[in-house]
Amino acid sequence: MTHYKLTLAYDGTNFAGYQVQPKQRTVQGVLEKALAKMTKGIPVHVDGSGRTDSGVHALGQVISFEYPGDIPAPSMLRAMNSLMPLDIEILQAEIVPEDFHARFSAKGKRYLYRVARGRYTDPFNRLYTGHYPYPLDVSRIELALQDLIGTHDFTSFAASGGVIVDKVRTIYEATVVEKPEQNDLVFEFYGNGFLYNMVRILVATSLEIGNGRRDVHDFIRLFEVKDRQQARGTAPASGLYLKEVYY
Amino acid sequence: MTHYKLTLAYDGTNFAGYQVQPKQRTVQGVLEKALAKMTKGIPVHVDGSGRTDSGVHALGQVISFEYPGDIPAPSMLRAMNSLMPLDIEILQAEIVPEDFHARFSAKGKRYLYRVARGRYTDPFNRLYTGHYPYPLDVSRIELALQDLIGTHDFTSFAASGGVIVDKVRTIYEATVVEKPEQNDLVFEFYGNGFLYNMVRILVATSLEIGNGRRDVHDFIRLFEVKDRQQARGTAPASGLYLKEVYY
């Protein structure tokens, strides 16, 4: 048995998310099917660094698995890419120590969120951005994002119904950059972990701050109230990218 | 009755081409359905500058139609956009003289073709580029494209089976530009008219010239032989964009 770590990019549009679900096309399902083809039927279980929802993209998702055989990493990369559909690309393959686990070994993650600002949805970006046609004062968002840095209770920013009790997370970086050529706004969040829907809720709240519908320091109030109803909005899945996982 | 000219962009991925076909989702079909909604059921026939195939995109397709009513152009733009799906955007609406016809009044067209050059297909560009992973000497393509300028018989570059007898067309511009940031190659062709599949065949032939599998001046030979079998390849629809129609 050999232990592999693979880094991959995918367009989440036509997947029912990362995690295997019966009768649905999922990223994990496609990966495990390809591996079973390589092993001539021996099932291989793939661990991902975390789930991504339907429509959410990845620029650097990480998976790990134990493979019944000993293939050099470059051959694993080639073989897996030859079995991938056009919406998944394997970027890197490495042989790693047995105790490496894509999820449990992860120390941090970086997410990116693209917001298209045109009046109408751009047909060519509708699957790859969230759309916000209202006026924005980006300097207000920049100011607000500074309040996220550090260790906070993100109860107000987690989709309800989750099983995770500890909602304290540490954010190392939270930035927004204007890309005037594309009329885009790009958010990046780097932290030790993220709750379900957390990035999409943070983006929706940031946009309301930028639009003036919330106080610039509303994040501080939201940390204190610990109430999901107060943050409300969730930015669409199409703008979200899992950019990098840190080990 | 008022005569309108509309300019529109669309992502061709989820359309069975521009032209109406029974039981298929087409651009013309979506436009005519939206107009019938505005007229409360009176059918409106839309003329396009030309067809685009399934998967082919438009950055500036032009349509014209006679509308039973007198709506200011900005209101027509807003009303039509509010009825469009996310993969069509109306860019401009104008009221034009009665004798304007999107197809018959067209004096020329400009097409763009994007080629992705990475080793593997990029998941995020697979619907918006053709893919060519082999080595290319772009200066050979630049040289070859100069042979296209002028008036030529494009019989070798037309999909067989068409009803058009006159295959002489004039090309005013034929260029290729490298976009190293995206690892892309962008072709542009501007001419008085294009035969069915002509741009996609010109691109496929250009790539074979760039790869060294054809002589740099093979276009001149192909003009003379007038034989579609000699040009062979057709670049995929996903890379092709109708960029502009000139009147």
Side-chain angles (χ1 to χ4, degrees), chain B residues 5 12-13 28 49 79 103 108 122 135 137 146 201 223 235 238:
Chain B
K5 173 193 176 195
T13 308
Q28 186 188 351
S49 77
R103 182 146 63 99
D122 172 354
D137 178 347
Q146 295 175 18
I201 300 167
F223 287 142
S238 51

Side-chain angles (χ1 to χ4, degrees), chain A residues 2-247:
Chain A
T2 315
H3 219 69
Y4 293 88
K5 173 193 176 196
L6 264 53
T7 308
L8 51 143
Y10 50 81
D11 174 344
T13 308
N14 297 325
F15 290 104
Y18 170 80
Q19 198 177 40
V20 161
Q21 290 182 61
K23 292 186 191 177
Q24 303 260 32
R25 184 177 187 258
T26 65
V27 178
Q28 186 187 352
V30 166
L31 293 165
E32 292 185 347
K33 215 168 118 183
L35 285 163
K37 205 169 258 182
M38 287 172 63
T39 63
K40 299 197 184 353
I42 304 169
V44 176
H45 173 79
V46 166
D47 290 307
S49 76
R51 308 174 191 183
T52 54
D53 275 346
S54 179
V56 173
H57 312 293
L59 302 170
Q61 170 69 292
V62 174
I63 59 165
S64 60
F65 54 88
E66 226 169 46
Y67 185 83
D70 183 15
I71 303 176
S75 309
M76 176 60 82
L77 179 68
R78 260 196 311 276
M80 279 296 278
N81 263 322
S82 74
L83 294 168
M84 285 300 109
L86 292 178
D87 46 0
I88 301 184
E89 181 180 356
I90 313 291
L91 304 171
Q92 210 183 0
E94 297 160 76
I95 292 173
V96 286
E98 237 177 82
D99 62 352
F100 178 88
H101 187 287
R103 182 146 64 100
F104 301 134
S105 308
K107 298 259 189 301
K109 280 185 185 169
R110 181 182 293 272
Y111 281 96
L112 182 154
Y113 196 97
R114 274 183 70 193
V115 178
R117 299 188 58 190
R119 175 162 176 189
Y120 301 113
T121 305
D122 172 354
F124 299 100
N125 277 317
R126 72 193 194 286
L127 306 172
Y128 306 105
T129 56
H131 180 226
Y132 195 80
Y134 310 108
L136 284 177
D137 178 347
V138 179
S139 66
R140 282 173 64 87
I141 302 178
E142 285 168 347
L143 214 59
L145 291 178
Q146 295 175 18
D147 293 339
L148 296 180
I149 309 301
T151 302
H152 305 283
D153 184 323
F154 283 91
T155 300
S156 290
F157 303 96
S160 49
V163 292
I164 294 167
V165 177
D166 177 14
K167 298 196 171 160
V168 173
R169 295 291 180 278
T170 301
I171 301 290
Y172 309 119
E173 284 178 43
T175 57
V176 65
V177 175
E178 284 189 273
K179 307 263 179 184
E181 341 66 86
Q182 287 118 7
N183 201 16
D184 261 20
L185 215 58
V186 179
F187 289 86
E188 284 202 27
F189 299 92
Y190 167 36
N192 70 348
F194 293 85
L195 301 164
Y196 186 57
N197 274 355
M198 179 170 143
V199 176
R200 292 165 58 186
I201 300 168
L202 289 175
V203 168
T205 307
S206 299
L207 293 171
E208 292 183 349
I209 290 171
N211 184 247
R213 281 185 275 168
R214 286 179 186 269
D215 184 83
V216 176
H217 294 294
D218 208 39
F219 281 131
I220 294 175
R221 186 183 68 82
L222 289 162
F223 287 141
E224 283 161 10
V225 296
K226 297 182 182 48
D227 177 5
R228 167 70 180 112
Q229 298 312 311
Q230 302 259 339
R232 276 200 313 274
T234 305
S238 51
L240 185 62
Y241 299 73
L242 172 55
K243 190 177 177 186
E244 199 173 347
V245 187
Y246 299 88
Y247 292 96

